[in-house]
Amino acid sequence: MPSITPARPLPECVTRASCPECGTGLLTVRSDRKFHCACGSSVPGRDLGLNSGRVWAVTRAGHPLSLPDPAAAWQRYVAARTVMENPSKWGPELDAAHRVFLGALAELEAARLLGVQLPAGSDVQIGRVYLACVLNPDGTLSGSNASALGWPCEPCSPSATDPYFQKRYPCRNPRAHVWGQVRDWEKNLRPGEPSRYVVRAPLAPDLRTARRLAAAKCAARAAALTA
């Protein structure tokens, strides 16, 4: 079981294993490789029940977690994207594909953020927030535009003739969007002017965390260049 450290509240699809004796206690693994509860009971890992279609992870504090099997989530993700990328699909069928896509994506993001290995060939964009960053003259982060899989996205939606009725489908290509943003910004640079635009793509559960991580990386790089 992979060892992880959840930094924020657990995703909805992730559950903590409770003590089978008292039913409520939080289990913790110890050096004897058994899970112990404050009620005094101990449970070997092999005796922890796991519903079909779920896998285990263990936090660095030793608490067991269960989450949906990412292999099954990946299959649903691929099937939904196939429908979403077919321009002939619309209406209820497309709406259903969006729901499946978002549900599978949430499970895959939880697995990646909790350190559970995703299936081979999984989308590298899963779990990442892509940021088109503007740097200050000293190399620190000034501001950013963000995109991530599943976020409401106008470029990933068919263009409406009336902007009032423009829809925003779940994003499928955040990496392409932010790199396109950076290239558009660079077109306005004067000859010889250095670019102050970069892309950062941290693994992060939300935009606030992503921007904090991106700012830290920009600051570290700026410090290294001036050392």
Side-chain angles (χ1 to χ4, degrees):
M1 291 183 283
S3 177
I4 53 87
T5 303
R8 304 179 68 83
L10 295 174
E12 291 184 4
C13 61
V14 177
T15 58
R16 295 188 187 274
S18 58
C19 173
E21 294 294 331
C22 68
T24 58
L26 186 63
L27 294 173
T28 304
V29 69
R30 295 182 184 168
S31 58
D32 60 1
R33 297 193 177 186
K34 293 183 178 180
F35 291 95
H36 294 260
C37 177
C39 73
S41 64
S42 62
V43 185
R46 65 178 180 273
D47 291 344
L48 284 177
L50 185 66
N51 293 332
S52 175
R54 297 184 72 84
V55 297
W56 287 116
V58 177
T59 70
R60 292 192 185 279
H63 304 310
L65 309 171
S66 75
L67 62 154
D69 184 351
W74 174 243
Q75 292 178 353
R76 301 199 314 275
Y77 176 96
V78 171
R81 269 197 76 145
T82 300
V83 174
M84 292 165 63
E85 293 174 356
N86 186 338
S88 69
K89 303 297 183 181
W90 61 283
E93 184 177 7
L94 182 57
D95 292 340
H98 287 164
R99 291 191 294 271
V100 172
F101 173 80
L102 292 173
L105 176 60
E107 295 176 10
L108 291 166
E109 287 179 336
R112 172 154 282 174
L113 292 171
L114 297 179
V116 177
Q117 185 174 357
L118 299 188
S122 296
D123 193 336
V124 297
Q125 301 176 110
I126 292 171
R128 296 187 181 275
V129 177
Y130 286 80
L131 299 154
C133 301
V134 181
L135 304 181
N136 293 309
D138 64 358
T140 57
L141 182 64
S142 173
S144 62
N145 289 343
S147 184
L149 283 172
W151 289 9
C153 180
E154 189 170 320
C156 285
S157 310
S159 298
T161 54
D162 186 339
Y164 181 80
F165 295 103
Q166 179 63 53
K167 294 185 177 181
R168 297 165 70 88
Y169 289 170
C171 185
R172 304 189 305 275
N173 299 295
R175 180 172 55 183
H177 297 335
V178 298
W179 276 109
Q181 175 75 84
V182 165
R183 286 192 290 268
D184 287 343
W185 287 340
E186 290 178 337
K187 291 176 183 177
N188 296 318
L189 292 173
R190 294 186 295 271
E193 182 182 2
S195 175
R196 295 190 293 114
Y197 311 121
V198 298
V199 171
R200 295 285 181 258
L203 283 171
D206 53 48
L207 179 56
R208 174 181 290 184
T209 303
R211 283 183 166 150
R212 176 177 56 79
L213 294 172
K217 186 168 185 178
C218 291
R221 179 171 175 78
L225 292 175
T226 57

